[in-house]
Amino acid sequence: MSQRIDYNQIAPAGVKTLGGVYGYIMQSGLPAELVELVYLRISQINNCAYCLDLHTRDLIRRGVATEKLALVQAWREAGALFSERERAALAWAESVTLVAATGVPDEAFEAARAQFDEKELVDLTLAISLMNAFNRMAISFRNPPQGAIAK
């Protein structure tokens, strides 16, 4: 796979704007590990190799256990490995990411509201939307994952 367009070079102001949203999310008060788990799950759903590599590396740097990383895509079956709050965030991320199929039903909203206050839920949804945008950029323009770049 070769990169189609280096969007960082072609539209740096646009990418910088997305980076500003990322900065907002990271200072929003949501735990960074929770946000990174959500980013990883969204990237799994969208099959974004670049983002899978990036967020896996970020979670490893944060000290997340290998067992937890290995089970992000099967979090429902992972028992107590994921907290109730993480489970709610991952469920919300899946529903919002798959909006065309799910319609983000009331029960998904109520489950998320049981764990997050209104601001947290809006911030989490901004994070989900941002990662979906980043996934679409990386996939569309074939941004290679760091681990796949020849050294």
Side-chain angles (χ1 to χ4, degrees):
M1 174 181 84
S2 61
Q3 189 172 24
R4 292 174 172 166
I5 295 174
D6 183 349
Y7 51 86
N8 291 297
Q9 294 296 317
I10 301 299
V15 175
K16 183 178 179 182
T17 300
L18 290 176
V21 176
Y22 175 82
Y24 168 80
I25 297 302
M26 297 315 286
Q27 65 80 41
S28 70
L30 290 171
E33 183 178 318
L34 180 130
V35 172
E36 289 293 337
L37 285 170
V38 164
Y39 286 168
L40 180 60
R41 182 64 191 120
I42 293 164
S43 299
Q44 289 171 337
I45 292 167
N46 291 326
N47 295 314
C48 181
Y50 176 81
C51 296
L52 285 166
D53 181 61
L54 177 71
H55 298 296
T56 299
R57 290 173 188 272
D58 285 347
L59 286 161
I60 289 168
R61 274 192 292 277
R62 291 184 184 283
V64 174
T66 303
E67 297 80 10
K68 192 169 191 174
L69 284 174
L71 293 174
V72 169
Q73 68 188 18
W75 61 267
R76 284 181 178 84
E77 292 82 38
L81 197 56
F82 294 91
S83 71
E84 285 301 313
R85 197 163 156 88
E86 289 169 336
R87 295 166 71 78
L90 292 166
W92 184 247
E94 289 178 359
S95 189
V96 172
T97 296
L98 299 169
V99 64
T102 70
V104 191
D106 290 341
E107 53 271 13
F109 174 75
E110 293 305 326
R113 279 295 303 269
Q115 293 293 322
F116 298 96
D117 67 29
E118 287 183 348
K119 181 176 183 312
E120 290 173 327
L121 191 53
V122 169
D123 289 343
L124 180 59
T125 307
L126 283 168
I128 293 163
S129 301
L130 176 66
M131 188 47 47
N132 275 288
F134 275 132
N135 284 176
R136 281 150 179 77
M137 294 296 290
I139 294 166
S140 297
F141 297 118
R142 304 293 191 257
N143 198 7
Q146 181 181 350
I149 296 174
K151 299 190 179 189

